[in-house]
Amino acid sequence: MSCPRPLVLCALAAGLFGACRKEAPDTAPVVRIIHPVEGSTLSVPDTFDVTLDVEDDIRVERVSVTLVDVDGVVMAPGVGMGVDAPTAQVTLRLPITDELLESGAYRLLVTASDGSGTARVYLPVQITAAPLRLRSIYVVSGDPTATVLQRIDSTGQLNTVNNWAMDLGGAAVDAPSATVFVAGGITGPLMGLAMDGQTLRWQQPGLGTPGLPYFTSVDRAQDGRLYVGRSDGYLRAFRPSDGSGLFTAPLNGIRTVHSIRMGGLVVSAVRATVPPERRIILHQSSSGTAVETQPLDKDPIALFQRSGDELLIFGNIGSQGVLEARNLSTGAQWEPRTWSAAITCVARVDAETWLVGLADGTLERYTWTGSSSLPIGSGAPLVDMAYDGAHGTVITASDASVQVIDPGTGLVITQWPAGPDVRRVLPLLNR
């Protein structure tokens, strides 16, 4: 049976009007942050209460809060909770416990969602970083047949934690990943080890041949990368946490002695054996591409960025220690200080001060302003030094002893007998 024509027309009209009708636009929830107030200071580590008023024309489903930096990058895990009400006042407890966070400006990102619309509100806050702590001191010893890793823990106990049948090609530590790195010289691998010194996180094989060192330098730079020199003529950059490669830079057979980061450049001191020469090579930090090679007339011991493009090179010419200041942009250079004995190791104390160990056993405190150098100690020649920023002290190593000294007076605060052939001391801080 057919439908009456008027009913068909009515149904069609109803369909047309229904198709043209628009849904009411969704309105995102409204969020008001009650606590903390803008500019509040939050200290790490702690858990913070974040109190919110939220409302919506239908209902708020969920709210969350996260710590982000000024660019919106998440810096700590967020927390959230369900609401399921049109209005509510809720308190979220946000733990901020990452000791790698540095002091400075951050933002709390608060979000509220009703299922289809989301509101985002930012609250500027200040973070006070956790106090610096010394987690461990690693002591690396090496001879042509064995490398030994010792660890001084937070209680001051020194214990041997690992050893390998290989000579030593380099060592470093990385605070963010809490990793210690040890590289063989001839054929041993480059290893990234957990704080216990035993658990292997990642490694790169050593591919040297008898009599030819493979890994020639291992440096953890200020940019957070690990720079590794190899005797096959390459400088490689790794991510310390997992060993992923960031670039490989050809050096045409020259061996890297030491590498640092200065702005957009990686600066390497290198040494060639045939013919014997030393150079400074500048690489682009993004790709490793060599952009400039500069001559060097001294055997480099340590490199430091003083400011801007100014590079300080501590090295030796014959039996004398020499400090060279060089502007990398212009190539201009001068030597503000020389020492009567060769330099064995250097540690930076602050922006203007360095401790310099000399081959005659003298320890001097060098100050850039006035280029003055004051003897503050003497004894067995030091083979390595490192600054402990948590305590403002310097950790030193001679052939068989590790000492903690006051960099102002040279006074020995603590010492440990560490056995023969100590080569490196590596303080591991919490950041």
Side-chain angles (χ1 to χ4, degrees), residues 3-4 6-7 11 75 91 105 133 194 232 242 254 270 273 304 316 329 338 346-347 365 369 372 381 386 428 430:
C3 294
L7 292 180
M75 303 303 294
T91 296
R133 292 186 299 104
D232 59 357
D242 58 14
I254 300 173
V270 301
T273 55
F304 299 93
N316 297 316
S329 297
T338 61
V346 184
R365 186 178 69 250
T369 303
S372 62
L428 179 66
N430 56 330

Side-chain angles (χ1 to χ4, degrees), residues 178-245:
T179 304
V180 58
F181 303 96
V182 178
I186 303 298
T187 57
L190 166 65
M191 297 172 286
L193 303 160
M195 281 185 60
D196 60 11
Q198 299 177 358
T199 304
L200 182 65
R201 289 180 169 164
W202 61 271
Q203 72 175 17
Q204 290 282 324
L207 303 175
T209 58
L212 179 64
Y214 187 68
F215 294 112
T216 62
S217 64
V218 179
D219 297 291
R220 194 276 187 186
Q222 288 295 98
D223 60 3
R225 295 177 174 181
L226 191 72
Y227 293 101
V228 179
R230 305 187 320 200
S231 64
D232 59 357
Y234 288 93
L235 174 69
R236 294 201 65 189
F238 296 98
R239 184 175 289 108
S241 59
D242 58 14
S244 55

Side-chain angles (χ1 to χ4, degrees), residues 37 79 109-110 138 164 194 221 280 297 355 408:
V37 298
V79 295
L109 167 59
V110 174
Y138 294 95
W164 303 272
I280 295 293
D297 65 351
L355 293 194

Side-chain angles (χ1 to χ4, degrees), residues 12-71:
L12 179 59
L16 288 174
F17 282 116
C20 294
R21 186 177 59 208
K22 296 181 179 179
E23 296 292 334
D26 180 72
T27 302
V30 175
V31 181
R32 301 179 188 86
I33 302 175
I34 307 303
H35 176 81
V37 298
E38 180 174 339
S40 294
T41 297
L42 312 177
S43 297
V44 180
D46 206 343
T47 299
F48 307 99
D49 288 343
V50 181
T51 302
L52 321 167
D53 277 344
V54 292
E55 62 178 279
D56 188 67
D57 54 349
I58 303 174
R59 65 187 175 90
V60 180
E61 286 192 354
R62 186 170 181 81
V63 295
S64 66
V65 60
T66 307
L67 180 72
V68 300
D69 66 10
V70 293
D71 296 317

